[in-house]
Amino acid sequence: MKYSVSFFIVLLFIVSGLLFFQYQVYSDKLETGQGEFTYTQEIEIEYRNQSLDIRQHFRNLPNQTIEITWPQLATNPDCFLESEQTCERLSEDKTKFNVGESRSQSLSYVIPLDGGLKSSQLLKDIFASLNNGTVSYSIIHISTDSQIGGQWVTGLPLIGQQSLTLVNYVMFSGQGDVNEIYYESDGLTLQHKTDEISIYSNTTIDESLSEQIKNIQFLNDEHISIVNGDNLSGDQGERILFLKDLTLAGLNQRVILSQIDTLYTFENQPNWMKEVVAAFVTGTISEDNMSAQIVNELLSNMSDKQLDNWVTKLEQLKGTKITATTLDEKLSEVFNMYTEFFVLNVDGEELQPLQFSDPRKLMVNEKYTEEVQSVFQNGLMYYSADELLALLGYEVSEGPNGYYVDSELRKFRFPENFNFYVFNQRRYDTISNPIIQIMDKRYIEESWLQRLFLVEIEKNENDIIISPITTLQ
């Protein structure tokens, strides 16, 4: 009984210590502003004197230190006294909200517009944000002088707009964050609106296209806006997308690629990589030449089970940074063989086919070697020809009529891209090429290696052993 009581007391101390430690870590995170949270925001924008005067109200804030990221162009950053409590948490240096009970705080600042408001102008990164915070809902109000007409677009659903005696007013609201707004002075109107998408155009949208839009596959619940035309900078927004020609294919691709950007981070990667990920995640094939080739190459080498596994791994990468190396790691897991397929295609203009490296050690003529490379491609095993044949006692060279492999008794010539080879001055026709080129390097296929160069190949879990079965003298 004593032992049971003692054990219980020790266990109680351990559990209490762990709980105290976890609480301390949690408290430290709150004090240093590391705790993640969600909040809502309401943004009032007034255009005057060639500037945007902005009042931004943050609501549902947690009782912790919250770092503020101001827009780079912001001037006169300050608190906005909406009520007695909306300024009490702002630090003296205006870089953070301090720990406090008030759940609503408000800021004000000015975004100068060089040359004033211009038509077809996309204004990006003009709002303040809170570190470690995620915006769950946004409301935007925009007011201009009554003499300034036109259409505003924010990416949020349009709730209403009104022209009054002194001002023009428009309101948007919806789920998620907003980082940009767009203005066009004349002709642009809302032509189509659903819970997922709004389309603004100078012309009426065809009814058949309106029906087809229902078939677009959306990857998240955040509303987006499509503007039929271009903007001054030529940039795409996060939730405001520009499309010259309103076609279902164009809309589908633009929407998918935009929403893929919200699910993954592609930094300094070729555009086809984003399209490849989008193709597998959504089950659609891009029309882009390189991405279509990549997708087709993978599909032609995958079983249904491997394809499902590959898509699952891409789904698991959501919220992470995507690189060629990352995709190669996941692809290697799918095939259970090492590949650098994506890395090899990053800088290439032509498709490099899918190939795998064999991790086993290679022994040639009873000696281990790291010079010879072994790869799988299209279900066949290949070895780097120059290094392997030299280790087998042959001299290799490139001549005017092909690739030459010579010993005292056995002399070969392999013309490039011709279905024959020459052995000791006699021609032999073939169905496949014994020697192929992979990434500017010659490789010999395994069965041809055995047949032409009279070697025996033994494989086990750790080694590939290549041994001559005859001498070259």
Side-chain angles (χ1 to χ4, degrees):
M1 183 67 179
K2 290 182 179 179
Y3 292 111
S4 299
V5 173
S6 300
F7 176 76
F8 176 77
I9 293 173
V10 171
L11 184 62
L12 182 62
F13 274 117
I14 292 174
V15 173
S16 299
L18 287 173
L19 290 174
F20 177 76
F21 175 75
Q22 290 176 345
Y23 175 77
Q24 285 295 106
V25 171
Y26 175 72
S27 299
D28 290 343
K29 284 188 174 182
L30 294 184
E31 291 292 334
T32 58
Q34 295 179 15
E36 296 183 355
F37 60 95
T38 60
Y39 64 97
T40 62
Q41 63 180 359
E42 186 169 3
I43 302 173
E44 302 174 74
I45 305 171
E46 184 178 348
Y47 174 68
R48 60 184 177 185
N49 300 326
Q50 297 191 339
S51 297
L52 300 178
D53 287 10
I54 299 178
R55 295 182 294 276
Q56 191 165 356
H57 312 284
F58 304 96
R59 300 193 171 97
N60 196 37
L61 299 179
N63 185 7
Q64 68 181 61
T65 301
I66 303 172
E67 302 288 338
I68 301 170
T69 299
W70 294 91
Q72 288 188 350
L73 297 177
T75 61
N76 303 324
D78 207 344
C79 168
F80 178 72
L81 189 61
E82 186 183 25
S83 69
E84 293 183 3
Q85 290 79 34
T86 56
C87 288
E88 64 182 17
R89 291 181 59 179
L90 185 64
S91 63
E92 290 186 9
D93 60 3
K94 301 171 185 176
T95 62
K96 60 180 176 289
F97 294 132
N98 293 317
V99 173
E101 296 294 334
S102 178
R103 295 177 64 100
S104 297
Q105 295 290 286
S106 298
L107 301 176
S108 69
Y109 49 95
V110 176
I111 303 293
L113 302 182
D114 187 17
L117 186 63
K118 302 181 182 68
S119 184
S120 302
Q121 188 171 22
L122 177 65
L123 302 167
K124 304 180 72 172
D125 301 319
I126 60 171
F127 301 128
S129 61
L130 305 181
N131 292 11
N132 296 323
T134 300
V135 181
S136 60
Y137 198 87
S138 298
I139 300 173
I140 293 184
H141 312 266
I142 305 177
S143 301
T144 62
D145 187 278
S146 59
Q147 297 178 348
I148 300 176
Q151 181 67 56
W152 291 92
V153 181
T154 66
L156 297 173
L158 174 64
I159 302 303
Q161 50 191 356
Q162 193 172 14
S163 294
L164 304 175
T165 303
L166 298 178
V167 298
N168 289 325
Y169 167 79
V170 60
M171 175 182 174
F172 305 85
S173 70
Q175 295 182 17
D177 199 3
V178 176
N179 293 304
E180 70 245 339
I181 59 175
Y182 173 76
Y183 171 75
E184 190 163 316
S185 62
D186 187 41
L188 190 71
T189 56
L190 178 61
Q191 300 287 349
H192 179 91
K193 179 183 175 182
T194 67
D195 291 340
E196 297 87 9
I197 189 171
S198 293
I199 298 180
Y200 296 82
S201 177
N202 293 318
T203 58
T204 304
I205 295 178
D206 185 83
E207 289 185 10
S208 63
L209 179 59
S210 295
E211 286 296 316
Q212 291 173 339
I213 290 172
K214 298 177 182 178
N215 297 322
I216 293 178
Q217 182 175 357
F218 295 93
L219 303 180
N220 58 43
D221 295 331
E222 290 193 355
H223 184 277
I224 61 172
S225 296
I226 301 290
V227 176
N228 183 200
D230 288 324
N231 60 75
L232 294 176
S233 65
D235 294 335
Q236 295 289 338
E238 292 182 11
R239 298 180 66 172
I240 304 175
L241 310 177
F242 298 86
L243 195 62
K244 281 188 177 181
D245 300 317
L246 287 177
T247 64
L248 181 62
L251 279 169
N252 201 39
Q253 185 178 32
R254 182 69 73 198
V255 168
I256 287 174
L257 292 182
S258 170
Q259 296 192 326
I260 281 290
D261 271 332
T262 68
L263 300 175
Y264 304 88
T265 302
F266 297 87
E267 291 182 3
N268 303 318
Q269 302 299 320
N271 197 56
W272 61 256
M273 193 177 296
K274 183 193 307 183
E275 294 172 351
V276 168
V277 173
F280 283 105
V281 171
T282 63
T284 59
I285 302 296
S286 168
E287 295 181 0
D288 180 84
N289 186 42
M290 189 61 175
S291 60
Q293 289 183 64
I294 295 283
V295 171
N296 289 332
E297 178 71 8
L298 291 175
L299 287 175
S300 64
N301 285 277
M302 285 181 175
S303 66
D304 290 343
K305 185 176 180 180
Q306 287 171 329
L307 176 59
D308 290 341
N309 191 9
W310 171 239
V311 173
T312 298
K313 289 185 180 298
L314 292 180
E315 294 278 357
Q316 292 170 347
L317 287 174
K318 287 180 179 178
T320 66
K321 182 178 178 180
I322 300 296
T323 66
T325 301
T326 303
L327 294 179
D328 279 333
E329 288 174 356
K330 299 304 177 183
L331 196 60
S332 298
E333 292 174 8
V334 168
F335 285 98
N336 199 27
M337 290 187 290
Y338 179 75
T339 182
E340 293 184 335
F341 176 64
F342 285 96
V343 169
L344 293 175
N345 279 291
V346 164
D347 298 320
E349 295 182 1
E350 295 183 0
L351 176 71
Q352 299 300 325
L354 180 64
Q355 61 188 48
F356 304 94
S357 299
D358 195 309
R360 288 176 289 188
K361 293 182 179 180
L362 190 65
M363 177 182 285
V364 181
N365 264 341
E366 299 182 345
K367 292 183 180 179
Y368 283 109
T369 177
E370 295 182 357
E371 297 178 12
V372 181
Q373 298 177 9
S374 55
V375 299
F376 287 101
Q377 181 174 299
N378 298 324
L380 300 174
M381 184 76 165
Y382 293 88
Y383 303 91
S384 55
D386 287 5
E387 295 81 0
L388 176 56
L389 295 175
L391 290 174
L392 290 173
Y394 292 90
E395 292 184 3
V396 298
S397 62
E398 185 175 354
N401 296 313
Y403 181 59
Y404 293 80
V405 182
D406 297 331
S407 70
E408 290 186 14
L409 300 178
R410 303 170 60 80
K411 300 182 184 299
F412 295 88
R413 177 170 66 88
F414 300 94
E416 188 174 353
N417 297 325
F418 289 94
N419 290 331
F420 74 90
Y421 67 92
V422 177
F423 170 57
N424 288 347
Q425 300 186 352
R426 183 174 178 179
R427 171 174 167 156
Y428 294 85
D429 292 329
T430 66
I431 298 176
S432 62
N433 290 318
I435 306 289
I436 66 169
Q437 199 94 354
I438 302 176
M439 290 290 291
D440 299 325
K441 193 176 186 68
R442 291 186 184 87
Y443 285 79
I444 182 167
E445 195 270 319
E446 186 174 75
S447 62
W448 280 111
L449 174 66
Q450 292 173 291
R451 189 181 314 163
L452 299 181
F453 296 97
L454 307 179
V455 299
E456 182 178 65
I457 300 178
E458 179 185 349
K459 298 180 181 179
N460 57 44
E461 186 177 345
N462 300 312
D463 303 311
I464 300 175
I465 303 168
I466 300 178
S467 305
I469 57 178
T470 184
T471 64
L472 301 181
Q473 303 299 325

